[in-house]
Amino acid sequence: MGRVYNFSAGPAVLPEPVLKEAAEEMLDYRGTGMSVMEMSHRSPEFQQIIDEAEQDLRDLMHIPDNYKVLFLQGGASQQFAMIPMNLMKNRVADYIVTGQWAKKAYQEAQKYGKVNKIASSEDKTFSYIPDCSDLPISPDADYVYICENNTIYGTKFKELPNTKGKTLVADVSSCFLSEPVDVSKYGIIYGGVQKNIGPAGMVIVIIREDLITEDVLPGTPTMLTYKTHADAGSLYNTPNSYCIYICGKVFKWLKSMGGLEEMKRRNEEKAKILYDYLDQSSLFKGTVEPASRSLMNVPFVTGDKELDAKFVKEAKEAGLVNLKGHRTVGGMRASIYNAMPKEGVEALVAFMKKFEEENA
């Protein structure tokens, strides 16, 4: 059936030019006579791939020189443990719980110290971002933790919390590179790449150098110590080399598209098409308070589970795939990451209008 419009939350849609280029290089990367998948991570060819990927990411995000970029395995979920293991010097941390992934991070951190839930939106099924301008930040907290964009619930922090001088740690898995960001406001900004950047199997951690120390919690494995990877340039062990290679191509694609300012403009334009339709539809409704809406993940429902299932099935037949909501919330969710073209969102809205007429 050719390429579909893939609204999956992750692994997710990748830019077609990137996939085509990777296909062309699959059997012979630039005259080496082999694929990047087969290449030694200690080779000069691979060193160039990882160096370029890091530099392009630094350029895109304007990452300050006192931050390290780490290409790590274990996904974002492994960071739920790695962060407290490396940062919890006082064994205290403050967490803002705005969705399932923030909640899992909060639960994991409890294995390592005293963890305070200083704000939450669980009272309304995580459908909003709480006011974080004046929170009860713990005086001895080692850091304050947020999940900046909540993939399952479709919410996004529009303003960062006031951490009152404490280090901010943010999981940006599903909004990574979707808009410009001031890295200097964070101690750690990290995300799994399988949503908005590359193939599954890697997490990128951007970490301020003063947070990289040998002073970690007793028993922290060598592989879960940031210093191990920072000192080795993400090549302590065999990395996810093919994933780094594809991410590097995506960074080049983003640069060629005009960088993060242009991505933000495109993402706002795409999201507006879908939200505007949801706001006037009599059948479909968005589930997020408008002030907290994500540009990346848009959940919506009809209010009837059978009709939701019918919609997902018929949408798939029309080439609009992976619109089923997360198993914990049901309904539908359209993830419209950087690589989703505007035409994909327009096709979705046209299909929704047709479905609404037929099922009103």
Side-chain angles (χ1 to χ4, degrees):
M1 72 187 289
R3 293 281 289 172
V4 294
Y5 287 122
N6 178 11
F7 295 95
S8 169
V13 60
L14 284 162
E16 260 184 57
V18 167
L19 295 174
K20 283 179 177 151
E21 206 175 283
E24 283 162 19
E25 294 174 346
M26 178 55 86
L27 293 175
D28 179 8
Y29 176 74
R30 301 190 182 174
T32 59
M34 59 181 140
S35 172
V36 174
M37 267 189 215
E38 306 169 291
M39 186 182 285
S40 166
H41 63 296
R42 304 285 178 211
S43 65
E45 291 84 1
F46 186 74
Q47 190 64 53
Q48 187 183 353
I49 288 171
I50 192 171
D51 288 347
E52 269 186 38
E54 176 177 338
Q55 191 54 54
D56 285 337
L57 181 61
R58 285 184 175 278
D59 294 346
L60 281 164
M61 294 180 74
H62 307 296
I63 298 173
D65 290 343
N66 64 323
Y67 284 74
K68 288 270 197 255
V69 173
L70 309 177
F71 298 103
L72 306 179
Q73 292 165 80
S77 294
Q78 186 150 288
Q79 294 303 307
F80 299 169
M82 202 162 170
I83 287 158
M85 283 176 166
N86 285 264
L87 264 56
M88 260 197 182
K89 317 294 185 200
N90 300 324
R91 301 277 182 131
V92 180
D94 288 351
Y95 278 63
I96 298 168
V97 178
T98 51
Q100 185 163 316
W101 302 113
K103 189 176 181 178
K104 285 188 172 178
Y106 163 73
Q107 288 165 338
E108 186 74 8
Q110 288 169 22
K111 296 177 178 177
Y112 304 103
K114 182 175 187 295
V115 186
N116 306 301
K117 190 194 292 184
I118 55 170
S120 171
S121 53
E122 201 162 5
D123 61 328
K124 293 184 184 168
T125 331
F126 299 124
S127 59
Y128 70 103
I129 298 291
D131 176 5
C132 297
S133 57
D134 186 20
L135 295 172
I137 306 284
S138 313
D140 51 352
D142 292 301
Y143 60 90
V144 177
Y145 183 100
I146 62 169
C147 179
E148 197 162 317
N149 188 92
N150 298 281
T151 323
I152 294 174
Y153 298 95
T155 59
K156 164 84 164 69
F157 278 82
K158 302 295 165 81
E159 282 179 30
L160 294 177
N162 173 7
T163 64
K164 301 180 181 175
K166 300 291 181 188
T167 296
L168 177 64
V169 175
D171 174 354
V172 296
S173 294
S174 50
C175 60
F176 221 157
L177 301 182
S178 64
E179 58 183 29
V181 56
D182 181 355
V183 174
S184 69
K185 289 182 173 170
Y186 305 82
I188 295 180
I189 180 168
Y190 80 92
V193 301
Q194 73 279 7
K195 298 175 183 295
N196 207 28
I197 302 178
M202 199 171 74
V203 58
I204 295 174
V205 176
I206 300 163
I207 176 170
R208 207 173 60 226
E209 284 175 347
D210 62 285
L211 300 173
I212 304 171
T213 64
E214 285 171 356
D215 175 26
V216 297
L217 295 190
T220 299
T222 304
M223 278 293 288
L224 294 186
T225 303
Y226 288 123
K227 194 170 191 314
T228 299
H229 302 286
D231 288 352
S234 299
L235 294 170
Y236 174 77
N237 67 322
T238 311
N240 192 335
S241 50
Y242 199 77
C243 189
I244 292 168
Y245 157 75
I246 299 285
C247 289
K249 288 200 179 304
V250 172
F251 301 152
K252 288 201 187 302
W253 175 77
L254 286 168
K255 280 179 135 179
S256 74
M257 296 301 286
L260 302 192
E261 288 77 8
E262 173 61 15
M263 288 333 281
K264 183 181 188 197
R265 187 196 69 74
R266 287 163 53 111
N267 289 327
E268 285 175 341
E269 182 185 34
K270 287 187 302 192
K272 187 178 190 310
I273 293 167
L274 185 47
Y275 284 125
D276 281 356
Y277 169 68
L278 286 171
D279 286 344
Q280 61 80 49
S281 170
S282 53
L283 178 63
F284 298 101
K285 55 180 183 291
T287 57
V288 174
E289 293 186 8
S292 301
R293 282 171 167 175
S294 166
L295 297 178
M296 297 284 101
N297 312 98
V298 185
F300 56 96
V301 293
T302 64
D304 178 332
K305 278 183 183 168
E306 282 173 21
L307 206 51
D308 286 352
K310 184 183 182 203
F311 174 83
V312 170
K313 179 177 176 287
E314 291 182 9
K316 185 179 181 183
E317 288 161 6
L320 306 161
V321 305
N322 291 316
L323 281 161
K324 190 169 187 255
H326 192 272
R327 61 184 186 276
T328 56
V329 292
M332 282 75 68
R333 169 180 55 179
S335 293
I336 49 176
Y337 298 125
N338 285 342
M340 172 59 67
K342 187 169 100 171
E343 295 76 23
V345 181
E346 288 169 339
L348 173 61
V349 168
F351 178 80
M352 290 168 77
K353 282 179 178 162
K354 178 170 161 284
F355 188 88
E356 182 166 350
E357 283 162 18
E358 290 168 2
N359 296 274

